[in-house]
Amino acid sequence: MVMDKRSEQLQQLADIKAMMERSSRFISLSGLSGVAAGIIALLGVSVVYLYLGVKPFEANYVSLLNDYNYSNWGLKLIPFFTIASLIVFVLASLAGLFFTYRRANLAGQKIW
């Protein structure tokens, strides 16, 4: 009787430990998703630089502000920056979901 109760308690502890290991495995995103998000962000910045006509290796903020036509700033650029930032956000989120899903799938776990 005592042995059955003890083995039952050990089994419950083993079950709790297994649940904790499964739940903590995929709490964080895959490392590749961070790399992909960084690359997507760099591509987004490159598109903005091209749109503004900034030369990447010759630009500094003081000369950019002194040389740039201020009439292009303001309300004209808000839609462009909004759309560009939303595209970067969506692509980075999708990359994060893809790489995390792939990692969970390889380990035989569910992503959620």
Side-chain angles (χ1 to χ4, degrees):
M1 184 74 153
V2 173
M3 197 61 167
D4 289 337
K5 188 170 185 147
R6 185 179 178 114
S7 65
E8 184 180 324
Q9 290 174 345
L10 288 175
Q11 181 61 37
Q12 288 176 349
L13 285 175
D15 291 341
I16 291 170
K17 181 180 177 187
M19 281 191 304
M20 289 177 65
E21 285 176 357
R22 282 194 311 263
S23 69
S24 66
R25 256 185 218 157
F26 293 102
I27 287 176
S28 62
L29 294 173
S30 167
L32 288 176
S33 64
V35 172
I39 290 171
I40 291 168
L42 289 173
L43 290 173
V45 167
S46 299
V47 168
V48 170
Y49 266 51
L50 288 172
Y51 181 78
L52 293 177
V54 176
K55 296 176 184 169
F57 298 107
E58 297 176 11
N60 64 43
Y61 291 108
V62 175
S63 67
L64 177 64
L65 290 175
N66 287 336
D67 296 340
Y68 196 72
N69 183 359
Y70 288 108
S71 65
N72 288 334
W73 288 90
L75 295 177
K76 293 180 184 178
L77 290 179
I78 288 176
F80 172 74
F81 288 133
T82 303
I83 291 170
S85 61
L86 284 175
I87 289 172
V88 167
F89 175 75
V90 167
L91 290 177
S93 298
L94 289 174
L97 284 173
F98 170 76
F99 286 115
T100 302
Y101 175 77
R102 192 182 88 175
R103 180 176 146 204
N105 206 16
L106 289 174
Q109 297 286 328
K110 293 182 179 180
I111 190 170
W112 300 114

